[in-house]
Amino acid sequence: MATFRLGAIASIATRIPHQNVAKLQRINLVRRMATGAAPKKPTSTLGLAVKGMAIGALVGTGWSGYSYFKGGPTDHMLHEHVGPKVLDKLPDVKIMRKVVNPNDDSGLDLVLFQFQTCPFCCKVRAFLDHSGLSYSVVEVDAVLRQDIRWSDSKKVPILLAKTKSGKYVQLTDSSMIVSSISSFLRDKKQDIGELAKYYPSISYENDAGRKVFDIMNKYFLMYQEKKVDNRTKEEQEEERKWRAWADDHLVHLISPNVYRTKDEAMETFEWFSDVGEWGIHFPKWERDLMVYVGAFAMWGISKRLKRRHQLSDDVRSHIYDACDRWISEIEKKKTTFHGGSQPNLADLAVFGVLNSMEGCQAFKDCLENTKIGPWFYAVKERVLKNRGNVL
């Protein structure tokens, strides 16, 4: 493949020596961290199954949390580079809906595994829809996650993209997904499978001394030496800066706000069920498990997240400040969007994060107490205008 550019920097990620990892961490690896008396009558098999799954989900969550903080036996192996996983064929999963745009000439074959209201999934959908791309959607059960059993990564979004070889490359980070697909759209002669190799996972030690992985170069666009980007270097750097801000700051304000109280947590999960059509795609017992176990678990987790990100008890004030900061940045430009007359990747990232809570009380409060509304609905209008038909 021809030489690729990292924005304006001529370097290839997989050839960077280990001694530069600390510098890369500062630039590209910013994002760190976003539930007895005997019964009087026999219990039904279904009842036992539901109870068992609920207990299993809670135990699994607890074990995952323990493992997260404990680390693992390979924690000493830092600075490992791991390339994208490639699948010979699509997993045997149920496609729940498709977005079909008859004007899509990209040639891409995309399958998105998601939670409908996950902030990172909303970011990816906002980008795909604004770009006018066709794609299939697999709605993953937020508790059992059966539809991603085939993947080593148990987080969503996951985007499978068909390569020129007929195999599917697995893209597993929202910002990396956006950057790699955006790079492809600038030069469609490229192979998405080859592009994905320029976004390897790399291990490093976080502030807690634990080995974690993040995607190198995830805010950078990769393209050949010919001119395909008419923006200045400063404009590209600004876009990357605010995309990182959406991941490193804004997204961490969502959970403490939408799960602020038990009632808000339940209201939020009921909204998740409605927009995700859980009642249609999942059996009632599974839908109820997701709502009730999910709401209770996230209410508890939001308290820990509030402490981790050093938020005050008045969590609303933090998200108001973030909305005001973003709008102030756009007002300085005296343009409709951060990208000017059209939304850029920063606009779509911030919109996607906020879109994840659009049906929650927290978002209604943001509309009443900040000036985020006109910009938000202007971006939404462009996204919906470009989106294909939902089938």
Side-chain angles (χ1 to χ4, degrees):
M1 175 175 284
T3 304
F4 277 72
R5 296 178 60 199
L6 185 64
I9 304 171
S11 65
I12 296 178
T14 53
R15 298 180 185 173
I16 296 175
H18 294 322
Q19 58 263 35
N20 289 336
V21 168
K23 182 177 180 181
L24 285 169
Q25 291 172 6
R26 292 194 298 271
I27 298 174
N28 303 320
L29 306 180
V30 191
R31 178 177 162 220
R32 303 173 181 175
M33 290 279 329
T35 187
K40 294 182 180 180
K41 60 181 181 179
T43 304
S44 68
T45 302
L46 177 59
L48 286 173
V50 172
K51 290 179 182 178
M53 280 184 244
I55 294 171
L58 292 174
V59 171
T61 300
W63 176 254
S64 297
Y66 170 75
S67 301
Y68 178 91
F69 290 105
K70 178 177 180 292
T74 59
D75 278 5
H76 64 286
M77 297 173 59
L78 299 180
H79 313 324
E80 300 169 81
H81 289 245
V82 180
K85 184 175 180 179
V86 177
L87 284 67
D88 291 332
K89 61 180 181 179
L90 284 177
D92 183 16
V93 293
K94 179 183 177 183
I95 301 297
M96 297 181 177
R97 61 183 170 276
K98 294 184 177 183
V99 176
V100 179
N101 190 335
N103 298 318
D104 178 11
D105 61 355
S106 68
L108 289 170
D109 182 355
L110 306 173
V111 181
L112 176 64
F113 293 76
Q114 65 153 26
F115 305 150
Q116 180 69 16
T117 50
C118 157
F120 300 107
C121 300
C122 289
K123 279 173 51 187
V124 171
R125 281 202 321 276
F127 166 74
L128 296 177
D129 289 340
H130 185 263
S131 300
L133 297 174
S134 300
Y135 59 97
S136 300
V137 176
V138 176
E139 195 70 32
V140 178
D141 179 330
V143 176
L144 302 179
R145 307 190 182 201
Q146 298 178 80
D147 286 317
I148 53 175
R149 283 182 178 177
W150 53 269
S151 174
D152 293 336
S153 173
K154 301 307 176 186
K155 297 179 181 180
V156 292
I158 297 173
L159 185 73
L160 296 183
K162 193 172 185 178
T163 67
K164 289 183 178 180
S165 69
K167 298 182 179 181
Y168 287 83
V169 63
Q170 176 180 322
L171 313 178
T172 56
D173 176 275
S174 63
S175 292
M176 179 267 210
I177 291 170
V178 170
S179 292
S180 58
I181 300 297
S182 183
S183 298
F184 174 84
L185 294 177
R186 291 172 183 272
D187 182 2
K188 297 173 186 175
K189 294 179 182 178
Q190 303 177 87
D191 179 13
I192 190 62
E194 292 299 315
L195 269 175
K197 294 178 182 179
Y198 291 88
Y199 299 94
S201 294
I202 185 172
S203 65
Y204 66 95
E205 188 175 285
N206 67 7
D207 293 338
R210 192 179 67 87
K211 188 183 89 169
V212 293
F213 280 87
D214 205 348
I215 306 293
M216 185 183 291
N217 308 322
K218 62 186 177 182
Y219 299 112
F220 289 83
L221 303 187
M222 304 293 186
Y223 47 83
Q224 294 181 358
E225 290 295 341
K226 66 181 182 180
K227 188 74 172 178
V228 293
D229 197 331
N230 296 322
R231 299 174 301 167
T232 66
K233 180 189 294 187
E234 290 72 22
E235 288 172 332
Q236 295 177 51
E237 289 174 349
E238 275 290 297
E239 182 182 68
R240 290 194 293 267
K241 167 189 168 183
W242 287 101
R243 290 178 66 195
W245 177 80
D247 285 351
D248 302 331
H249 179 66
L250 182 61
V251 77
H252 297 308
L253 306 179
I254 303 298
S255 290
N257 275 279
V258 300
Y259 309 120
R260 184 176 58 165
T261 66
K262 289 181 182 177
D263 287 342
E264 282 189 77
M266 183 60 66
E267 177 190 56
T268 296
F269 266 83
E270 289 288 357
W271 177 65
F272 288 174
S273 176
D274 290 342
V275 297
E277 299 180 331
W278 291 356
I280 297 174
H281 300 306
F282 304 106
K284 185 179 185 303
W285 67 264
E286 194 169 350
R287 178 266 178 199
D288 290 345
L289 180 68
M290 293 161 66
V291 170
Y292 293 106
V293 173
F296 181 78
M298 289 310 301
W299 171 73
I301 290 171
S302 70
K303 308 304 178 187
R304 296 204 301 273
L305 292 175
K306 184 180 74 172
R307 292 192 296 270
R308 177 184 297 176
H309 299 294
Q310 300 179 337
L311 305 181
S312 67
D313 289 337
D314 183 14
V315 290
R316 285 289 196 272
S317 66
H318 295 281
I319 200 163
Y320 295 162
D321 289 345
C323 290
D324 287 340
R325 183 181 176 191
W326 172 248
I327 294 302
S328 176
E329 182 68 20
I330 295 174
E331 289 177 341
K332 288 180 191 176
K333 296 173 174 288
K334 298 181 179 179
T335 57
T336 304
F337 307 106
H338 186 275
S341 60
Q342 295 289 333
N344 65 5
L345 298 183
D347 285 295
L348 296 173
V350 176
F351 168 79
V353 171
L354 294 177
N355 181 239
S356 71
M357 65 172 192
E358 187 177 0
C360 305
Q361 184 60 46
F363 185 75
K364 298 172 187 175
D365 291 345
C366 286
L367 292 178
E368 292 180 2
N369 293 278
T370 74
K371 297 187 290 183
I372 198 69
W375 167 85
F376 179 88
Y377 288 113
V379 177
K380 184 175 182 178
E381 181 183 5
R382 299 298 178 94
V383 169
L384 294 179
K385 180 181 178 181
N386 293 350
R387 186 179 69 180
N389 301 314
V390 182
L391 306 179

